[in-house]
Amino acid sequence: MYSIGLTFKLRPGCYPEYKKAHDELWPEIQETMSANEINMVIYYYKDRLFLHATAPTRESYERNYDNEAAERWVEYMSNLIETDDQGELIFEEIEEAFSFGAFKN
């Protein structure tokens, strides 16, 4: 099992729209996540989001983002999440400090 933790920062005042977008996740995004067996949870704390995802392999996780719907989703999210100078979403990978059970390597 592949597991990843990421953190990222919302633009000021964007949490309500971010939450709504995920509560009403596009069907094509749901389909590709299901097809690639992605499990994901995103936590919100102040202006930061913390994402934890699992997939059968790293390749299946990455394949989830290799389609036109994912490209449109990332473009939409770039209005809500902080980006770098090139307009790319800024995700910081979180170092795993502990794992147990199904998450144990």
Side-chain angles (χ1 to χ4, degrees):
M1 173 179 61
Y2 175 72
S3 176
I4 188 168
L6 302 170
T7 184
F8 45 106
K9 190 173 181 182
L10 285 171
R11 295 181 187 276
C14 287
Y15 180 67
E17 185 175 350
Y18 180 90
K19 176 80 169 108
K20 184 177 190 290
H22 285 76
D23 287 346
E24 300 170 2
L25 193 61
W26 300 347
E28 57 268 46
I29 298 294
Q30 292 179 38
E31 290 168 13
T32 193
M33 289 179 73
S34 292
N36 289 295
E37 300 179 60
I38 306 296
N39 297 297
M40 184 179 293
V41 62
I42 302 173
Y43 296 98
Y44 171 69
Y45 181 72
K46 297 186 181 178
D47 62 349
R48 294 209 66 89
L49 294 158
F50 301 87
L51 176 150
H52 179 244
T54 64
T57 65
R58 181 183 190 111
E59 292 76 25
S60 60
Y61 178 78
E62 291 172 352
R63 190 170 43 246
N64 185 58
Y65 296 98
D66 189 23
N67 61 73
E68 187 269 333
E71 291 174 17
R72 286 188 297 113
W73 182 259
V74 169
E75 184 178 333
Y76 173 42
M77 288 295 111
S78 69
N79 297 307
L80 308 175
I81 298 170
E82 287 194 349
T83 59
D84 63 18
D85 293 339
Q86 291 77 41
E88 300 291 322
L89 299 177
I90 301 171
F91 289 107
E92 299 172 83
E93 192 162 342
I94 302 171
E95 179 181 339
E96 181 181 297
F98 176 76
S99 61
F100 184 82
F103 296 106
K104 187 85 171 154
N105 291 330

